[in-house]
Amino acid sequence: MATLRHTRYQIAIIEHDQLLMIRFADAMSNFWLLPGGGREPEESEIACVEREAWEELGVLVAVEGLILHQQDQPDATYQAFKTYRCRIIEGRPKPGFETPNPNDPSAGIAEVGWVNLAAPQTWPSLIVNDLYTFNVLQQLRQALNYH
């Protein structure tokens, strides 16, 4: 059972209309999502975003600001989602560390990839067919004035 955490802090790295995402895979699931996670005790929101970028992507980022705050899509772990626009200041994105499932040592970040926010018709089927991720990307498109 997942530990209930109030807010998931997500990372939106966008370069030339391309949004960086991670693909998580384990024995039971395979899906794309924005990098991110929950805050540690005494950690600020910005410090959380910076730590998650390092852990999940292997990059150092500059946090440029909050672009999306969702409180209407709670899931089994999080009650709210805050997405911060970030810029890579050091490193090349690569699959980082995700707390592995003790029952499945192969679980984790399988790959990183870019999706074109300006061209949703090019998104992989794993995104289009995942209602949660698809909706997040549509809300990001709206927040960033993509039409």
Side-chain angles (χ1 to χ4, degrees):
M1 179 171 180
T3 302
L4 185 64
R5 297 178 106 165
H6 185 271
T7 303
R8 183 173 197 271
Y9 298 90
Q10 303 182 128
I11 300 155
I13 296 170
I14 304 162
E15 296 179 2
H16 309 291
D17 294 328
Q18 302 290 317
L19 173 69
L20 186 61
M21 298 186 72
I22 58 175
R23 184 173 60 83
F24 182 86
D26 63 20
M28 309 250 323
S29 57
N30 182 21
F31 54 90
W32 287 94
L33 74 161
L34 292 173
R39 281 181 15 198
E40 300 297 331
E42 307 302 318
E43 185 177 49
S44 71
E45 292 183 13
I46 301 302
C48 173
V49 170
E50 292 169 340
R51 175 182 52 76
E52 292 288 347
W54 178 251
E55 290 176 358
E56 296 188 0
L57 299 167
V59 297
L60 298 177
V61 296
V63 179
E64 297 180 335
L66 180 67
I67 54 174
L68 188 59
H69 185 185
Q70 302 160 276
Q71 297 180 342
D72 59 346
Q73 297 178 330
D75 68 12
T77 305
Y78 297 100
Q79 301 304 299
F81 300 83
K82 286 186 173 183
T83 304
Y84 284 87
R85 186 165 190 159
C86 299
R87 177 176 42 85
I88 296 173
I89 56 176
E90 187 176 318
R92 291 188 83 120
K94 62 186 181 300
F97 174 80
E98 178 67 27
T99 305
N101 177 344
N103 300 322
D104 182 359
S106 67
I109 299 169
E111 71 177 303
V112 299
W114 298 90
V115 297
N116 189 336
L117 285 173
Q121 68 275 14
T122 65
W123 296 351
S125 61
L126 276 179
I127 290 175
V128 174
N129 296 325
D130 181 325
L131 187 58
Y132 173 76
T133 301
F134 183 79
N135 285 338
V136 167
L137 294 188
Q138 291 294 12
Q139 289 177 21
L140 269 176
R141 282 173 42 82
Q142 184 177 0
L144 296 168
N145 294 317
Y146 284 90
H147 300 287

